[in-house]
Amino acid sequence: MAIRITTLAERPEFAATLWDMENTWHEFMLQDPVADLYYTLVKTAYPDHVLVADDDAEPGRMVARGYMTPFVSNGGELPDNGWDGVIRSGWLARERGLPTDAVSALEITVRRDLLGKGLSAVMLAALRDQAARLGHRELVAPVRPNLKHLEPHTPMAEYAFRTRADGLPHDAWLRVHVRAGGKIVKVAPRSMVVAGTAAEWRHWTGLPFDRSGPVEVPGALAPVHCDLAHDHAVYVEPNVWVSHPV
């Protein structure tokens, strides 16, 4: 494949179809309210932080996309609220007219029929290059390990630092980051929070949600905490902070 990767600012024609690409995201993952502080504004506020990729054989048909957000770090420690934290920080800075001093990757999505062909690594490299063009020396990322959902009860602090015999991370997506020069920094224990009623969770997952306690949900990195007496269920997703020098 001859992949062409550009920013959304360079190819604004992709704005109309940005969300149309087939992907593997589970419905419950789309319910984080903090996401609206970024994704509803991304086409107008952050087009130079969005990468779109298409194949020269099918120009105009997206094969992958990548998102970043600027945020305020003030040289401090990466936040425990990871994904939600950097989105909120970037939004508040924009609303208040404050300067940002850091950039975080948010998402790399590859078209469903092209998974396993190495495009994620290509997009990661492109995000790093774009972060450098924007004047940053580091790209951080609250990484969602792609095999963690197979072990929802394993603490992320244990899973994130598990390695193979060759010293590389056990998790495939974390391996891609480390091979690309990234360093695992810490766990973001509450990177994304999705709350809903039992009925909403039934709708999002097709599961009964008919008992209180932890519920294993396909695709979730940790159990969802269900409390029927109070009619709510809450998913707190841990991620892994990775730092990439650029």
Side-chain angles (χ1 to χ4, degrees), residues 83-118:
W83 200 84
D84 283 352
V86 292
I87 289 178
R88 183 175 182 274
S89 173
W91 183 83
L92 286 173
R94 182 176 179 275
E95 288 295 301
R96 296 169 179 174
L98 300 175
T100 56
D101 62 354
V103 65
S104 174
L106 291 177
E107 172 193 332
I108 292 175
T109 299
V110 175
R111 204 172 71 203
R112 183 192 297 266
D113 61 314
L114 296 174
L115 292 172
K117 297 185 180 296

Side-chain angles (χ1 to χ4, degrees), residues 27 31 197-207 209:
E27 180 63 25
Q31 308 305 322
T197 64
E200 287 174 323
W201 276 97
R202 292 180 193 117
H203 174 70
W204 297 337
T205 66
L207 298 176
F209 275 86

